[in-house]
Amino acid sequence: MRGQSLCDTRGVRGRLVTIPISHFCEKARWALDRAGVDYVEHPHLQLIHVFAARFAGGGRTVPVFVTDTREVLAESADILRWADTRVATNRRLYPEGDLGAQATALEAWLDEGFGPDGRLWMYHGTLPVVHEMGQWALAGIPAWERGVFRVGGPAIDVAIRRYLGIDAAAASMALDRVNGVFNDIAGRLSDGRRFLLGDRFTAADLTFAALAAPMLLPARYGSPLPPPEAMPDGLAREVRRLRAHPAGVFADRLYAEERVPRASAAA
Ligand SMILES: N[C@@H](CCC(=O)N[C@@H](CS)C(=O)NCC(=O)O)C(=O)O
C-alpha cells in the first residue's frame, strides 16, 4: 500500500489490487491518476496476486479495481472506462462515435498480443537474475510476500516460466512480434499526427505507452523500474534500441506530457 497507512482510508474512492511492476496495472493506474481518482493500491507478488485478485472479487489477473460502491472491475479496459466517467467530455479516452470505436479496437489489439509478448520477453531475460530485481519487483508489497520472494528465488523462476509458458524460443518470437508492433505504431504516426488516432490522446495511446514499458523502462512509470544498466546486457541493448525507435520516442513523449503522477502519492 502506497502513500497511505493501512488504516487511513479517508476520502478513498477505491482500491486497486496490483502486481506493482505489471504494465497492465500501470495502464489502470495511469487512467485513474489522470482522472484524479483517489485510491489505495494493494501491491502483491506475482502468483500470490491470484489469491488477492480472487479475494477482491476478480479472476486470476490483476489489475482489479474495487470502487467505493463495491463494483468490481477485473479488466484494465473496464477500469479505463470507469475512470473516463470522471473526466470532462473533451478529455475522454474513449471519445464519442467512430474515434471511440477505433480507440477501443486498437486497445483490444494491444492488450491481446503486445502486452503478453512484452511481458514474456522481459521475464525471460530477468528471471535468471530475479534477486537483483528485488528492489523494483517488491516495491510496496507486504513483508511476508517479500519473505516468499527472498527464500523462493529459483522456485519463482520455475513457477513463472511454467505459468506463462516462457522459454528462449517463445521469448525470441515474442520480441519479433513486439518489433512488428513498434513498426506498426511508427507507420501510423508517419503522417506527422500527434497521437495514434489524430490530434487527441485516447485509450489507444495510453495503452501503447503503458504496455511498452517492459521494453522502454520509462522513468515516470507509476512504480519504480530498473534503469537499463541494471538489466542483463541483452535486455539493456534492446531497451536502448527500442527507446530510439520512433514508436519508443512517441511513448516517451506520452509519458512526459500525459502521465500525471498520482495525486495522493505527492501528498
Ligand atoms: N486482460 C487483462 C490482462 C491482465 C494481465 O494479464 N495481468 C497480468 C499481470 S501483467 C496477470 O495478472 N497475469 C497473471 C495471469 O495471467 O494469471 C487486463 O487487461 O486487465
Side-chain angles (χ1 to χ4, degrees):
M1 185 172 303
R2 305 202 175 150
Q4 206 159 8
S5 84
L6 266 168
C7 301
D8 181 7
T9 52
R10 282 166 298 175
V12 165
R13 304 291 313 276
R15 89 194 136 84
L16 184 68
V17 181
T18 67
I19 295 169
I21 58 164
S22 146
H23 53 351
F24 279 104
C25 295
E26 168 66 0
K27 182 185 160 200
R29 270 194 307 250
W30 187 337
L32 293 171
D33 293 343
R34 180 174 179 275
V37 175
D38 200 4
Y39 61 95
V40 178
E41 183 171 342
H42 291 254
H44 291 282
L45 190 63
Q46 283 83 345
L47 305 178
I48 293 172
H49 79 274
V50 177
F51 301 101
R54 289 242 158 90
F55 188 68
R60 55 171 223 173
T61 64
V62 287
V64 177
F65 186 61
V66 185
T67 72
D68 52 358
T69 57
R70 297 186 190 276
E71 189 183 351
V72 177
L73 305 168
E75 283 290 325
S76 60
D78 294 338
I79 301 171
L80 264 60
R81 285 190 180 277
W82 183 90
D84 229 25
T85 63
R86 265 117 188 114
V87 299
T89 319
N90 64 355
R91 291 189 67 238
R92 296 242 159 110
L93 294 169
Y94 305 93
E96 295 280 311
D98 188 47
L99 196 56
Q102 288 181 49
T104 302
L106 258 183
E107 177 191 23
W109 174 65
L110 292 164
D111 279 355
E112 170 128 8
F114 185 58
D117 280 336
R119 176 178 61 203
L120 192 154
W121 170 77
M122 183 272 299
Y123 273 135
H124 178 67
T126 53
L127 282 172
V129 294
V130 68
H131 277 294
E132 292 166 35
M133 297 292 125
Q135 79 179 90
W136 300 286
L138 300 177
I141 75 165
W144 75 269
E145 295 182 29
R146 290 165 176 262
V148 170
F149 178 86
R150 295 219 168 83
V151 296
I156 289 174
D157 182 336
V158 173
I160 293 183
R161 279 182 191 280
R162 277 217 188 119
Y163 189 65
L164 295 175
I166 302 172
D167 60 29
S172 163
M173 286 187 290
L175 182 59
D176 285 348
R177 289 190 296 268
V178 163
N179 283 324
V181 172
F182 267 65
N183 291 338
D184 178 286
I185 295 291
R188 288 173 195 262
L189 297 167
S190 62
D191 61 3
R193 60 182 60 200
R194 279 187 55 69
F195 298 105
L196 285 172
L197 297 174
D199 58 4
R200 179 166 166 170
F201 181 75
T202 69
D205 302 293
L206 187 156
T207 301
F208 174 68
L211 297 188
M215 282 68 68
L216 302 175
L217 306 174
R220 297 187 76 178
Y221 199 72
S223 186
L225 290 180
E229 309 80 78
M231 307 288 271
D233 285 349
L235 257 68
R237 241 190 336 270
E238 292 299 333
V239 169
R240 293 196 183 96
R241 182 180 65 79
L242 288 168
R243 278 181 173 181
H245 188 287
V249 172
F250 170 64
D252 186 51
R253 199 196 90 221
L254 294 181
Y255 260 95
E257 294 178 359
E258 305 286 342
R259 179 66 172 102
V260 292
R262 185 165 153 205
S264 56

